[in-house]
């Protein structure tokens, strides 16, 4: 079983910055990709950014140039540095990890979510 623990959300003014962290633990053999999704009230969950084991990163257009995803493979941790935050970035942010367990089963696990609120 694989667990994800997120941290770093909060309230920030427009133009401010936040850094989200997500640490994976448990029966992990390898992690192929880790990503961040968000869901605003009344909207569907959307992919924000994803990074693969080969450090390839992809972003939704609305955050390109403002958000940076990075990964510490030794710690099974992914980060999302969010700069120049806008009110429309307000949402619950969820971490996702996909990989293989020690028993060679594939997994796709979600974190519990962390609230990000951008408001003056």
């Amino acid at each position: 079983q694989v667990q994800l623990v997120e941290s770093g959300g909060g309230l920030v003014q427009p133009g401010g910055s936040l850094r989200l962290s997500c640490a994976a633990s448990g029966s992990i053999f390898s992690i192929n990709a880790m990503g961040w999704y968000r869901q605003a009230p009344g909207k569907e969950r959307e992919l924000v950014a994803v990074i693969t084991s080969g450090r390839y990163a992809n972003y939704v257009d609305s955050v390109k140039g403002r958000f940076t995803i990075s990964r510490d493979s030794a710690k099974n941790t992914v980060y999302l540095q969010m700069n120049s935050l806008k009110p429309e970035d307000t949402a619950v942010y969820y971490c996702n990890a996909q990989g293989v367990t020690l028993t060679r089963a594939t997994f796709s696990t979600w974190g519990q979510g962390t609230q990000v609120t951008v408001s003056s």
Side-chain angles (χ1 to χ4, degrees), residues 7-8 10 17 27 33-34 41 44 46-47 50 53-54 86 94 99 108:
S7 61
S17 298
S27 178
M34 299 186 79
E44 294 186 353
E46 67 169 352
L47 174 66
V50 63
S53 57
K86 304 175 180 180
Y94 297 91
S108 178

Side-chain angles (χ1 to χ4, degrees), residues 4 19 31 36 80 84-85 102:
L4 301 180
R19 189 192 195 208
I31 298 179
W36 289 95
L80 186 67
S84 302
L85 282 160
L102 293 175

Side-chain angles (χ1 to χ4, degrees), residues 4-74:
L4 301 180
V5 177
E6 302 154 351
S7 61
L11 172 64
V12 64
Q13 292 186 343
S17 298
L18 282 175
R19 189 192 195 208
L20 305 182
S21 300
C22 172
S25 62
S27 178
I28 299 170
F29 175 73
S30 64
I31 298 179
N32 300 326
M34 299 186 79
W36 289 95
Y37 293 70
R38 66 186 179 187
Q39 187 166 18
K43 295 188 176 181
E44 294 186 353
R45 189 174 297 189
E46 67 169 352
L47 174 66
V48 177
V50 63
I51 187 167
T52 68
S53 57
R55 298 284 196 274
Y56 172 78
N58 195 29
Y59 301 88
V60 66
D61 286 346
S62 60
V63 307
K64 286 180 179 178
R66 300 188 298 122
F67 292 10
T68 302
I69 190 169
S70 61
R71 177 174 172 175
D72 185 335
S73 296

